Amino acid sequence: MFAVERYRRAESVADAVRLLAEDPFSIPIAGGTDILVKLREGHRQYANLVDVHGLAELESIILDTDGTLCVGAGATFTQVMESPLVREHAPVLAEGASWVAGPQIRNVGTIGGNICNGSVCADSVPPLLVLDAELELAGPEGLRRTPLRGFHTGPGIVARGQAEVLTKVLVPAPPRGAFAAASLKYAMRRAMDITTIGCAASVLLDGESIVWLKLAFSVAAPTPVRCPSAEAAASGKPLTAQTVEAVKKTVEVDVAPRTSWRAPADFRMHIIRELSERAMRTAVQRAGGGIR
Ligand SMILES: Cc1cc2nc3c(=O)[nH]c(=O)nc-3n(C[C@H](O)[C@H](O)[C@H](O)COP(=O)(O)OP(=O)(O)OC[C@H]3O[C@@H](n4cnc5c(N)ncnc54)[C@H](O)[C@@H]3O)c2cc1C
């Protein structure tokens, strides 16, 4: 049923890197919820597997002394959603994880697999983009850190070396002050459906004005994107309906939705504008502000 040609179980992250480096055609498998679907469809590039599932090194979720939340790449969506540390320090990530599929997939699918899969639909990515998350990868040359923003380089493509294993997702400590974030998903069905458009926003407020807005989308361009033009239209501006309108108008510059069987481009654009407003309003409200 599954066309696996070679399967090796890694004993540790270092062992996984060694096994991957030994065989340039091999790839890591974690939960397998993406890979097994590809294998059943007969994609041969997923046939040589190095299993990193269940490595304790990859599963921990801890808070560093500097306030950075370190989420192991092998943490499942359920572990992310249920983690008291995630809920306290990055609730928008728990919210994003809750949008993924149903309980069975969330019990098995990992956050690392969601990022490394490179899918433009990945529900964990917009919330992590508005939190300015970084990634830690282990490879033959040792550990490296890289921003999540820019890690997706094309449809289904990420800047991961063939022998690299994603070890951690690093979420910096939230800024002091009136800060909050929100993650929304538009899909045809409310449950068990791939995202038509996903959106996340984070805001820092100062009284009646927005210090900054961060806005990110999935499925709005060939890769998940941040929206620098829409963000500039809000940052430093008052909390008014005019500012919201400016964001909704400007977001067009940052995205490039396409037509697919799921939705035509103009409909996606409508949803993008609508979600920018809803995500922004929700984040503002959670930060204790209100839009006049
Ligand atoms: C029925 C169904 C519904 C789904 N619904 C959703 C949904 O609503 N939203 C959503 O975002 N996704 C959804 N998915 C996709 C999938 O569940 C997620 O992308 C999941 O996070 C993948 O994680 P995994 O551990 O299963 O990855 P795997 O299938 O094991 O791997 C996926 C990719 O990541 C790489 N990889 C995995 N771990 C690492 C690592 N530590 N370091 C380096 N590379 C690694 C693999 O080599 C592979 O390229 C769905 C899948 C199914 C089958």
Side-chain angles (χ1 to χ4, degrees):
M1 183 180 176
F2 298 113
V4 177
E5 287 176 7
R6 190 174 191 200
Y7 171 88
R8 290 168 304 159
R9 166 116 194 99
E11 301 295 332
S12 63
V13 170
D15 191 36
V17 171
R18 184 183 60 77
L19 292 171
L20 288 165
E22 254 175 37
D23 176 359
F25 298 105
S26 59
I27 59 160
I29 181 168
T33 59
D34 283 316
I35 287 182
L36 293 180
V37 173
K38 297 283 182 194
L39 274 173
R40 201 182 46 192
E41 289 168 356
H43 296 271
R44 298 289 292 274
Q45 66 269 37
Y46 296 92
N48 284 358
L49 301 174
V50 172
D51 190 351
V52 297
H53 175 76
L55 291 181
E57 286 170 89
L58 291 182
E59 286 184 5
S60 66
I61 300 178
I62 57 157
L63 194 67
D64 227 335
T65 46
D66 68 354
T68 303
L69 179 70
C70 307
V71 181
T76 64
F77 292 111
T78 302
Q79 286 166 334
V80 168
M81 280 165 62
E82 292 181 351
S83 159
L85 283 176
V86 175
R87 292 166 90 108
E88 183 180 346
H89 297 276
V92 70
L93 176 57
E95 188 172 42
S98 77
W99 297 129
V100 176
Q104 294 96 331
I105 295 290
R106 291 198 294 265
N107 284 343
V108 180
T110 64
I111 188 156
N114 202 230
I115 293 168
C116 290
N117 162 37
S119 167
V120 72
C121 310
D123 284 327
S124 69
V125 172
L128 288 169
L129 282 174
V130 299
L131 296 176
D132 287 321
E134 294 197 325
L135 307 175
E136 182 192 89
L137 294 113
E141 314 300 329
L143 290 177
R144 74 175 170 104
R145 249 171 106 146
T146 187
L148 171 65
R149 191 175 182 180
F151 189 65
H152 291 75
T153 54
I157 308 169
V158 293
R160 179 182 76 82
Q162 180 271 328
E164 283 188 319
V165 174
L166 176 63
T167 50
K168 289 176 194 161
V169 181
L170 304 154
V171 179
R176 286 180 193 281
F179 165 81
S183 166
L184 303 174
K185 168 169 174 168
Y186 178 87
M188 298 306 277
R189 292 186 312 229
R190 283 196 67 78
M192 282 297 282
D193 203 358
I194 297 294
T195 299
T196 304
I197 295 287
C199 175
S202 67
V203 288
L204 181 65
L205 307 181
D206 180 11
E208 296 295 304
S209 64
I210 301 170
V211 180
W212 49 249
L213 164 75
K214 294 175 185 175
L215 189 65
F217 282 95
S218 60
V219 215
T223 61
V225 286
R226 273 278 294 271
C227 300
S229 310
E231 292 174 5
S235 299
K237 300 291 186 325
L239 279 168
T240 58
Q242 286 90 326
T243 304
V244 175
E245 280 309 310
V247 168
K248 283 177 79 172
K249 192 156 179 277
T250 322
V251 75
E252 283 187 26
V253 178
D254 300 314
V255 297
R258 71 180 183 98
T259 293
S260 76
W261 65 267
R262 239 178 251 288
D266 57 348
F267 177 69
R268 282 188 202 272
M269 198 62 237
H270 172 73
I271 301 298
I272 288 167
R273 284 195 209 97
E274 193 59 34
L275 290 188
S276 351
E277 170 164 0
R278 288 190 195 183
M280 190 178 158
R281 281 184 182 273
T282 308
V284 166
Q285 195 182 18
R286 287 176 180 174
I291 291 166
R292 283 177 277 123

